[in-house]
């Protein structure tokens, strides 16, 4: 095994893999480019708190592209193959194509994806594809204008998001996944229409259980619509057949329409937790590394980076973090405690879900 990269930038021959305290490899790195967003989804960034005077991270507080590239270079040397760019809303970063281009130059980045709310995707899609982005996931909780407006803090526009999805398809950024957070009594009555719209398009709708992420969404268990209930609802309309996972650690349970009109998925962190194979780490825009979506603390990488840490020093830091990792929040979640919102968890907008 050679070190991650030689000082003169020669690509590492191959990665070493590092396993956490539960034997899980480090495979996915989600990178939040900025903490700002152009929507105000109440379950993530409520307008009441993230108003016009709210102070988001300043540029110098955010990791530079050089710093992000160094973290990714080292992380891929430790087994990371999948990079997902997130936010806030990553497309608010005007130079994102430059970063994408540099990430695709790293030999061990096998899968480069982005999660976006789609509002800016229609114009951005061609340059993202040209820069080398492989695929996109679009968050779209409903096709009903009123419901979507409510779930996006009055700022979302369904037609803009759909135009973004078409542009991403035209640019070849597919298969496109559509993430739908299902909230009982909020958008569950509009799921069938959304599925109907995407049937036969090749796009994959993933129905996500409402989670107690962060500290601001007032999560209660009775707002969760268990995936098995959603599955029953869908099967009343279209017969489905279970499919195998694409890879170990994939979060979605996959189903295909028996009539051949495509695939959907269920992400059931609350009722069917999947911590056992969780191989994801999350990097915030200001350089904090978190080892769980529901983490209460992270590790600051910005300081060692700005103190001139080289690849091997950073590799030791990352290895230590992962080797000690034992997160399995969803498996241990006690709904009554979660409803009490006692734990001060990292906010979702800071790590992009
Ligand atoms: S709760 Fe944490 S450990 Fe479990 S699957 Fe989610 S991110 Fe992974």
């Amino acid at each position: 095994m050679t070190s991650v990269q030689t000082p003169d930038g020669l690509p590492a021959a191959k990665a070493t893999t590092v396993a956490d305290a539960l034997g899980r490899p480090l495979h996915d790195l989600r990178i939040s480019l900025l903490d700002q967003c152009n929507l105000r989804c109440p379950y993530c960034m409520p307008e009441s708190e993230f108003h016009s005077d709210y102070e988001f991270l300043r540029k110098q507080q955010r990791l530079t592209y050089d710093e992000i590239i160094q973290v990714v270079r080292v992380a891929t040397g430790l087994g990371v193959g999948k990079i997902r760019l997130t936010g806030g809303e990553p497309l608010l970063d005007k130079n994102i194509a430059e970063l994408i281009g540099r990430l695709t130059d790293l030999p061990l980045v096998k899968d480069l994806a982005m999660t976006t709310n789609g509002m800016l995707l229609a114009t951005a899609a061609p340059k993202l594809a040209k820069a080398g982005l492989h695929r996109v996931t679009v968050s779209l909780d409903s096709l009903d204008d009123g419901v979507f407006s409510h779930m996006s803090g009055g700022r979302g526009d369904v037609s803009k998001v759909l135009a973004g999805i078409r542009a991403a398809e035209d640019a070849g950024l597919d298969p496109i996944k559509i993430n739908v957070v299902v909230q009982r009594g909020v958008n569950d009555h509009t799921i069938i229409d959304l599925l109907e719209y995407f049937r036969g398009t090749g796009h994959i709708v993933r129905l996500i259980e409402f989670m107690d992420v962060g500290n601001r969404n007032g999560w209660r268990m009775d707002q969760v619509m268990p995936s098995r209930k959603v599955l029953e609802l869908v099967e009343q309309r279209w017969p489905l057949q279970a499919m195998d996972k694409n890879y170990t650690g994939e979060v979605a349970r996959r189903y295909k329409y028996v009539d051949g009109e495509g695939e959907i998925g269920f992400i059931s962190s609350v009722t069917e937790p999947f911590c056992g194979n969780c191989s994801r780490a999350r990097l915030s825009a200001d350089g904090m590394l978190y080892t769980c979506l529901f983490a209460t603390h992270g590790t600051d990488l910005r300081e060692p980076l700005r103190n001139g840490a080289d690849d091997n020093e950073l590799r030791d830091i990352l290895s230590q973090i992962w080797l000690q990792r034992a997160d399995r929040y969803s498996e241990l979640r006690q709904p009554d405690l979660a409803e009490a919102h006692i734990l001060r968890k990292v906010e979702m907008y800071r790590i992009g879900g």
Side-chain angles (χ1 to χ4, degrees):
M1 193 280 294
T2 60
S3 69
V4 177
Q5 268 229 344
T6 59
D8 51 18
L10 291 176
K14 62 181 182 56
T16 56
T17 55
V18 60
D20 72 10
L22 304 179
R24 300 167 294 186
L26 173 56
H27 180 262
D28 305 33
L29 180 61
R30 302 172 68 99
I31 302 174
S32 169
L33 298 182
L34 70 180
D35 60 345
Q36 296 174 42
C37 187
N38 47 359
L39 297 184
R40 288 290 181 275
C41 307
Y43 58 75
C44 176
M45 204 185 250
E47 185 87 46
S48 55
E49 296 188 42
F50 297 90
H51 39 67
S52 52
D53 302 332
Y54 184 86
E55 287 201 13
F56 289 101
L57 291 172
R58 295 187 303 281
K59 189 164 176 47
Q60 62 272 28
Q61 292 174 298
R62 300 202 299 261
L63 292 186
T64 64
Y65 286 175
D66 288 346
E67 290 165 340
I68 291 174
I69 292 294
Q70 185 177 1
V71 172
V72 173
R73 186 172 61 234
V74 171
T76 53
L78 290 169
V80 166
K82 179 177 167 185
I83 301 293
R84 179 173 293 279
L85 302 178
T86 68
E89 171 48 41
L91 291 179
L92 290 175
D93 181 338
K94 295 282 173 280
N95 304 314
I96 192 172
E98 177 201 334
L99 177 63
I100 290 169
R102 293 182 61 186
L103 287 168
T104 53
D105 288 341
L106 294 175
L108 295 175
V109 171
K110 302 297 179 217
D111 181 10
L112 181 56
M114 185 179 74
T115 298
T116 169
N117 62 31
M119 292 287 287
L120 303 170
L121 190 54
T123 47
K127 73 172 181 192
L128 299 174
K130 190 158 173 278
L133 186 70
H134 298 163
R135 56 197 178 85
V136 290
T137 296
V138 178
S139 305
L140 178 60
D141 294 329
S142 182
L143 291 183
D144 178 290
D145 289 324
V147 171
F148 185 58
S149 175
H150 167 73
M151 295 185 82
S152 62
R155 299 186 182 198
D157 179 336
V158 172
S159 63
K160 276 196 180 151
V161 179
L162 294 179
I165 292 169
R166 284 192 295 277
E169 182 180 3
D170 294 346
L173 294 170
D174 51 5
I176 297 170
K177 294 181 176 169
I178 317 290
N179 279 359
V180 181
V181 175
V182 183
Q183 265 186 282
R184 189 192 294 277
V186 178
N187 64 336
D188 52 322
H189 62 292
T190 68
I191 293 169
I192 297 298
D193 290 346
L194 186 144
L195 290 173
E196 175 73 72
Y197 181 91
F198 287 110
R199 269 168 51 82
T201 63
H203 304 326
I204 301 169
V205 174
R206 286 124 51 94
L207 302 162
I208 305 172
E209 288 182 343
F210 178 47
M211 294 179 277
D212 53 322
V213 286
N215 312 290
R216 301 162 192 269
N217 65 9
W219 183 89
R220 295 193 320 278
M221 190 61 193
D222 62 13
Q223 297 166 307
V224 176
M225 200 155 167
S227 287
R228 72 179 183 286
K229 284 277 176 231
V230 182
L231 178 62
E232 284 166 19
L233 192 72
V234 177
E235 287 210 299
Q236 283 164 15
R237 187 67 181 272
W238 305 284
L240 294 171
Q241 186 183 342
M243 302 170 73
D244 295 335
K245 286 192 179 285
N246 288 308
Y247 60 90
T248 306
E250 182 176 25
V251 294
R253 268 198 301 113
R254 305 168 64 210
Y255 286 81
K256 64 181 176 187
Y257 294 110
V258 170
D259 62 8
E261 290 297 294
E263 174 186 339
I264 65 173
F266 294 87
I267 299 179
S268 320
S269 162
V270 178
T271 61
E272 297 158 46
F274 37 78
C275 304
N277 288 314
C278 178
S279 56
R280 291 172 293 283
R282 293 166 167 89
L283 182 67
S284 68
D286 56 355
M288 294 294 289
L289 192 84
Y290 296 94
T291 55
C292 176
L293 175 58
F294 303 92
T296 54
H297 63 279
T299 305
D300 181 14
L301 300 184
R302 186 181 61 191
E303 190 177 338
L305 285 165
R306 296 197 173 167
N307 290 339
D310 65 18
D311 285 12
N312 289 321
E313 288 165 314
L314 195 59
R315 184 166 157 261
D316 293 343
I317 295 170
L318 282 181
S319 304
Q320 280 314 308
I321 295 168
W322 196 256
L323 285 166
Q324 291 159 16
R325 180 202 187 220
D327 299 278
R328 51 195 197 98
Y329 174 87
S330 286
E331 285 178 355
L332 302 173
R333 177 192 286 109
Q334 293 168 23
D336 49 353
L337 270 184
E339 287 181 357
H341 298 283
I342 296 164
L343 285 179
R344 299 307 298 169
K345 293 169 279 175
V346 59
E347 292 295 348
M348 180 148 96
Y349 73 89
R350 279 180 42 73
I351 51 173

